[in-house]
Amino acid sequence: MSQITHELVLEVLEGCGESALREARELGPARLVSATELTVSTDDLDAVRGLRRVVAASTSLTVPARRPRELLETSVQQRLGVLLEDLGRQRPRQRFGGLRLEAAGSGTPEMRRLADTLAESAGIPVAEDGDLVVRVRRGAPAGTWQVLLRTTRRPLSTRAWRTVNYPGAVGATIAATVLDLLQVGEEDSVLDMTCGSGTFLVEQLHASVPARAIGVDRDPEAIDAARAHQRAARRRGRIDWVLGDVLTCDLEPGFTRMLTNPPWGTLLGDHESNEQLLADLLARAAQLGAPRARLGVLTHEIARMQRVLERETAWRPVGEHRFFQKGHHPRLFLLERG
């Protein structure tokens, strides 16, 4: 366990901030800085790796400085050395192989010298693909600079259990946030209607394990990937993976929580057929859902989903939630069965 209090900067995807904030507050005082950044104060770096709604975490140092070269002063380097030592005390140990500096003007002599100095202090070389990521930026308030040291070799959003690169898989931090919004509990019976490689249900095993969990997909490669991911996750809890079309396969009804992340235009089919698919999924969910069941539909087909809801009578909209990731803007439609 760390012996000093770290001021951590947490990167989040837009749309995951509130969920990430609640999670971060379990470690210490936390606040939202922007839609994509939080801060938290904690003396337990080991626990930071358990954050599931955060893209990456960095320990930080903010110092009064007019120019980056002032970060090379002995007193600043000593404080950065303490942070580097604390990164090395994490358990399980983080074995960094190289240092990568990310900063405006990273090729200037001042920044190269800063990278060399930090790398020497860490006992590793400077490398373009280094896994100890150091960011340097102007701080707040004005007249300060901030140095950020990522606490892990890979981003926290990179799940070790995702061993299969399945196309169209939802981001893990988005999946965790969707599950928060659905409020899945141990008493729930959960159905992922288009499970793909299993991200939603495997992610749920890291929280409360539902009484029943079923994932359905008609692609055998998806089901194989989902099973591989569940094995790799090594979490307790049963998931039944069903190969078939959820619109027609035999399933026992009574699900209290359902979700779907259906294919969308640029991945499969076209926009018009996907509108019909959305309508069919809602109709099938109405057949399988328990009274007052909740359904989450994560889709890029926002206008078409809205048109489907104008005709829908079995489901009542209770909320919408937007996400932003790498140019994509999926939206979660939260529905409740009447």
Side-chain angles (χ1 to χ4, degrees):
M1 179 178 290
S2 302
Q3 299 301 311
I4 65 174
T5 297
H6 286 267
E7 301 300 326
L8 293 175
V9 173
L10 308 180
E11 300 172 55
V12 297
L13 293 178
E14 190 166 346
C16 298
E18 290 293 340
S19 188
L21 180 62
R22 288 191 294 272
E23 183 180 35
R25 282 176 171 160
E26 297 177 5
L27 302 183
R31 67 182 181 92
L32 274 173
V33 177
S34 70
T36 57
E37 185 171 298
L38 290 74
T39 61
V40 62
S41 299
T42 183
D43 60 0
D44 189 358
L45 282 185
D46 294 350
V48 172
R49 271 172 288 183
L51 296 174
R52 310 201 63 78
R53 295 139 186 95
V54 171
V55 173
S58 299
T59 187
S60 68
L61 176 65
T62 302
V63 297
R66 292 174 298 174
R67 298 177 180 84
R69 67 167 175 259
E70 296 177 50
L71 298 174
L72 292 165
E73 293 180 355
T74 301
S75 60
V76 176
Q77 288 300 309
Q78 288 175 340
R79 294 168 68 188
L80 289 172
V82 172
L83 297 184
L84 288 168
E85 290 175 1
D86 228 38
L87 292 183
R89 295 192 187 101
Q90 295 180 87
R91 293 292 182 269
R93 185 178 177 184
Q94 295 289 297
R95 298 181 180 275
F96 296 101
L99 183 143
R100 180 169 85 247
L101 182 67
E102 296 181 351
S106 58
T108 64
E110 288 178 345
M111 287 296 184
R112 288 201 301 269
R113 185 181 169 196
L114 178 61
D116 289 339
T117 303
L118 290 173
E120 181 179 0
S121 181
I124 56 178
V126 175
E128 290 185 2
D129 60 349
D131 50 13
L132 175 53
V133 178
V134 178
R135 290 189 292 145
V136 180
R137 66 185 186 183
R138 292 187 183 276
T144 63
W145 283 81
Q146 188 175 46
V147 181
L148 307 172
L149 311 174
R150 196 173 73 189
T151 62
T152 54
R153 295 184 60 196
R154 298 192 301 173
L156 295 174
S157 57
T158 304
R159 304 296 199 248
W161 52 261
R162 288 179 72 155
T163 57
V164 180
N165 184 18
Y166 188 79
V170 66
T173 61
I174 291 179
T177 302
V178 167
L179 292 164
D180 286 344
L181 293 166
L182 271 177
Q183 299 178 328
V184 179
E186 295 180 353
E187 73 286 353
D188 284 309
S189 179
V190 183
L191 171 65
D192 187 343
M193 303 179 74
T194 49
C195 69
S197 57
T199 300
F200 282 111
L201 294 182
V202 175
E203 193 67 30
Q204 182 60 44
L205 294 184
H206 292 79
S208 57
V209 177
R212 179 171 64 141
I214 296 179
V216 181
D217 204 286
R218 61 185 184 182
D219 182 357
E221 292 185 5
I223 295 299
D224 287 345
R227 288 179 174 139
H229 288 163
Q230 185 184 1
R231 288 194 299 270
R234 297 180 180 179
R235 305 293 295 191
R236 296 183 63 181
R238 175 178 174 178
I239 303 174
D240 293 322
W241 304 107
V242 177
L243 176 61
D245 187 339
V246 73
L247 300 178
T248 57
C249 68
D250 185 22
L251 293 170
E252 183 180 349
F255 294 98
T256 58
R257 296 289 185 270
M258 293 177 283
L259 53 93
T260 179
N261 177 30
W264 45 286
T266 60
L267 290 179
L268 183 67
D270 55 53
H271 294 296
E272 297 304 325
S273 64
N274 285 342
E275 182 171 337
Q276 184 59 52
L277 175 59
L278 288 167
D280 292 343
L281 286 169
L282 263 63
R284 181 59 168 155
Q287 295 173 352
L288 296 172
R292 304 298 297 276
R294 286 217 165 183
L295 169 64
V297 181
L298 184 66
T299 179
H300 295 74
E301 301 279 16
I302 296 168
R304 287 168 175 81
M305 181 65 184
Q306 289 172 334
R307 285 203 295 268
V308 169
L309 289 175
E310 289 175 359
R311 306 188 300 267
E312 179 60 43
T313 59
W315 293 98
R316 178 176 62 89
V318 293
E320 293 183 21
H321 194 86
R322 300 180 183 184
F323 296 97
F324 296 85
Q325 181 183 26
K326 296 181 179 178
H328 298 309
H329 308 128
R331 188 176 302 184
L332 176 68
F333 291 82
L334 285 170
L335 311 174
E336 187 174 275
R337 188 179 177 193

